[in-house]
Amino acid sequence: MPLQKPWRDLDRSAVASAPDRPGVYELGDGSGTVLAVDHGVLRDELKTALAYGDGDRVRWTEAHTLEQARELAADHRERLE
């Protein structure tokens, strides 16, 4: 099951608006197909994804800690399989 958030274009404005907090994020292609699910400090992770062209779109949800983000990402990946 995908994150229940709207897709945003993965661009500088999305990176700038991402919180500097832990969270889970999905990267998607132009049609909204999920390409990857990962976790980390959201702004840092999205900066890297934008630099490497890892996706066209992004959506995320915040977590309280990196450990919680890691667990949420693992659960999320299992549900996508």
Side-chain angles (χ1 to χ4, degrees), residues 5 11 13 17 25-27 31 37 39 42 48 52 61 68 78 81:
K5 304 277 183 165
D11 56 19
S13 67
S17 68
Y25 64 94
E26 290 179 338
L27 296 173
S31 65
V37 175
H39 71 283
L42 291 166
T48 301
Y52 284 97
T61 190
Q68 181 190 28
E78 284 178 17
E81 293 175 353

Side-chain angles (χ1 to χ4, degrees), residues 31-48:
S31 65
T33 301
V34 176
L35 302 173
V37 175
D38 214 339
H39 71 283
V41 176
L42 291 166
R43 190 172 302 150
D44 295 342
E45 293 291 324
L46 299 186
K47 226 183 271 186
T48 301

Side-chain angles (χ1 to χ4, degrees), residues 2-78:
L3 295 175
Q4 298 302 309
K5 304 277 183 165
W7 285 110
R8 298 183 59 155
D9 290 337
L10 179 56
D11 56 19
R12 288 177 161 217
S13 67
V15 172
S17 68
D20 195 23
R21 300 185 38 84
V24 177
Y25 64 94
E26 290 179 338
L27 296 173
D29 64 13
S31 65
T33 301
V34 176
L35 302 173
V37 175
D38 214 339
H39 71 283
V41 176
L42 291 166
R43 190 172 302 150
D44 295 342
E45 293 291 324
L46 299 186
K47 226 183 271 186
T48 301
L50 178 62
Y52 284 97
D54 292 339
D56 299 316
R57 295 180 177 184
V58 65
R59 55 187 168 194
W60 66 80
T61 190
E62 291 182 52
H64 294 289
T65 65
L66 279 173
E67 180 61 31
Q68 181 190 28
R70 182 178 10 264
E71 291 170 6
L72 289 171
D75 290 345
H76 187 63
R77 281 187 211 102
E78 284 178 17

